[in-house]
C-alpha cells in the first residue's frame, strides 16, 4: 500500500497597493477514505512566502509553498504555488465646495486628491495628468445648490485607480435693502399709507423683473394720540418673497406736524358815537 498523493495549494490572495501582505494560507485536495485534514493524521504545516513587499508595485507575485514541517503516514505531497495580486489602491478625487452670489461669475473650481498609501503624496506617487472639473451653474443660474463634478480627464497612475466625489457650488441670494419712505401727517390725523423703496438689484433687474413678489409690512411707535415729533417707521418682510434675493430693512421717519387752528375775529356791531 503506497501513500496517496495529496495536493497542497498555496491559496491565491489579493491586496491593494501600499498595504501589508495578507496572511498566507494553503488548502488541501485529494483526501481519500472520507478523511479531512483533521482526521487524516497529517501534522505540521507548509512554508509559505512571497517576495512582494508593502511597497511592491501593482502586479502579480508568486506565493511559494514548501513542505515545511508537513508529515503524513498515508499521504505524499504535491506542492502548488499560488499568486498574490497587488491591485491598485483607490484615490478619491474630490471637488472642493464653493460658493458665490447670484448673478456673479463662477469661482475657480478646484479639487483635492486623497488616499495615498505607502507614505506617498501627489508629487511622488506616479500620478500624472489632471481631472476634469465642471458645474452646470452659470452666471444666470438661480440661487441654490449645484453639483461640481470631477472626471478622469488625463489622470493616470500605475499603482492607483480613481474614485470621483462631487462637490457643491452654493449660489447665495443677493441682499436687497427695503427702506421705509419718510412720511408726515398732522397731529390727530390718521397715519398715511406706508411705502418702501427696494434697492440693490443685480443682473440688470428691477422690481418688476426680479421675481420679487409681495409687499413689505410696517410698524410705527406713533399712535393716534401721539404728540408732534418724529417717530420710527420700521419695515419688515411682510409677504415679500424672492428666489434670488433676501432682504434687509432700513427704518424711515414719520413726522407728526402741528395741526393748523384758525383763529377768526367775530363780527360785531355798534351805534354811531358809542364805544366799540
Amino acid at each position: 500500500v503506497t501513500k496517496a498523493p495529496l495536493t497542497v495549494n498555496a491559496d491565491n490572495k489579493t491586496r491593494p497597493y501600499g498595504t501589508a501582505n495578507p496572511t498566507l494560507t494553503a488548502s488541501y485536495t485529494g483526501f481519500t477514505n472520507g478523511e479531512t485534514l483533521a482526521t487524516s493524521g497529517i501534522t505540521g504545516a507548509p512554508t509559505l512566502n512571497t517576495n512582494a513587499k508593502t511597497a511592491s508595485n501593482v502586479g502579480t507575485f508568486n506565493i511559494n509553498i514548501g513542505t515545511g514541517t508537513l508529515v503524513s503516514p498515508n499521504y505524499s505531497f504535491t506542492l502548488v504555488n499560488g499568486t498574490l495580486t497587488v491591485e491598485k489602491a483607490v484615490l478619491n478625487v474630490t471637488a472642493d465646495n464653493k460658493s458665490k452670489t447670484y448673478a456673479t461669475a463662477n469661482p475657480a473650481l478646484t479639487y483635492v486628491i486623497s488616499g495615498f498609501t505607502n507614505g506617498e503624496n501627489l508629487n511622488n506617487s506616479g500620478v500624472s495628468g489632471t481631472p476634469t472639473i465642471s458645474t452646470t451653474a452659470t452666471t444666470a443660474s438661480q440661487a441654490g445648490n449645484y453639483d461640481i463634478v470631477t472626471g478622469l480627464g488625463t489622470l493616470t497612475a500605475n499603482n492607483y485607480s480613481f474614485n470621483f466625489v462631487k462637490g457643491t457650488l452654493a449660489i447665495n441670494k443677493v441682499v436687497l435693502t427695503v427702506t421705509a419712505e419718510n412720511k408726515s401727517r398732522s397731529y390727530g390725523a390718521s397715519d398715511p399709507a406706508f411705502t418702501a423703496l427696494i434697492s440693490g438689484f443685480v443682473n440688470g433687474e428691477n422690481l418688476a423683473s426680479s421675481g420679487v413678489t409681495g409687499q413689505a409690512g410696517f410698524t410705527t411707535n406713533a399712535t393716534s394720540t401721539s404728540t408732534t415729533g418724529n417717530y420710527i417707521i420700521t419695515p419688515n418682510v411682510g409677504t415679500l418673497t424672492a428666489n434670488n434675493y433676501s432682504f434687509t430693512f432700513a427704518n424711515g421717519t414719520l413726522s407728526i406736524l402741528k395741526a393748523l387752528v384758525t383763529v377768526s375775529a367775530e363780527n360785531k356791531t355798534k351805534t354811531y358815537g358809542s364805544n366799540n
Side-chain angles (χ1 to χ4, degrees):
V1 178
T2 60
K3 289 185 178 184
L6 190 69
T7 301
V8 185
N9 297 281
D11 295 325
N12 295 331
K13 300 287 182 176
T14 61
R15 67 167 174 86
Y17 168 71
T19 61
N21 288 337
T23 300
L24 302 180
T25 58
S27 57
Y28 300 78
T29 58
F31 290 107
T32 62
N33 205 31
E35 295 177 343
T36 65
L37 180 61
T39 62
S40 64
I42 294 174
T43 60
T47 58
L48 294 160
N49 61 75
T50 179
N51 60 352
K53 304 295 187 292
T54 302
S56 295
N57 290 326
V58 167
T60 57
F61 300 82
N62 280 341
I63 301 174
N64 301 307
I65 188 168
T67 302
T69 58
L70 281 175
V71 294
S72 171
N74 296 319
Y75 293 96
S76 62
F77 302 105
T78 299
L79 305 174
V80 180
N81 291 338
T83 300
L84 172 62
T85 302
V86 178
E87 301 175 333
K88 290 187 175 186
V90 179
L91 295 177
N92 288 321
V93 183
T94 304
D96 293 321
N97 294 330
K98 299 287 181 176
S99 65
K100 69 163 189 164
T101 305
Y102 168 66
T104 61
N106 288 344
L109 302 180
T110 57
Y111 61 89
V112 293
I113 300 179
S114 60
F116 293 101
T117 62
N118 210 31
E120 296 175 347
N121 56 45
L122 184 59
N123 293 326
N124 62 16
S125 63
V127 174
S128 62
T130 56
T132 59
I133 186 165
S134 63
T135 179
T136 59
T138 66
T139 302
S141 294
Q142 304 288 299
N145 292 329
Y146 297 80
D147 285 340
I148 303 172
V149 179
T150 55
L152 183 62
T154 58
L155 284 174
T156 59
N158 290 330
N159 294 320
Y160 294 97
S161 61
F162 303 97
N163 177 56
F164 300 97
V165 182
K166 294 177 181 178
T168 299
L169 173 60
I171 300 181
N172 300 317
K173 293 183 175 185
V174 171
V175 180
L176 295 178
T177 300
V178 181
T179 303
E181 294 188 276
N182 295 331
K183 299 289 181 176
S184 64
R185 68 170 173 87
S186 298
Y187 168 71
S190 299
D191 287 337
F194 294 130
T195 56
L197 291 175
I198 301 179
S199 59
F201 294 103
V202 296
N203 207 30
E205 296 174 347
N206 55 39
L207 183 59
S209 63
S210 64
V212 174
T213 62
Q215 302 292 329
F218 301 92
T219 59
T220 180
N221 56 349
T223 67
S224 59
T225 59
S226 293
T227 58
T228 58
N230 292 328
Y231 297 82
I232 296 171
I233 303 170
T234 304
N236 57 65
V237 72
T239 58
L240 287 173
T241 60
N243 289 331
N244 297 317
Y245 294 96
S246 60
F247 305 97
T248 189
F249 301 93
N251 295 337
T253 299
L254 173 63
S255 297
I256 299 181
L257 308 175
K258 291 184 176 182
L260 182 63
V261 175
T262 301
V263 182
S264 300
E266 295 182 277
N267 295 328
K268 300 290 182 177
T269 62
K270 70 167 186 164
T271 305
Y272 172 71
S274 64
N275 293 328
N276 285 343

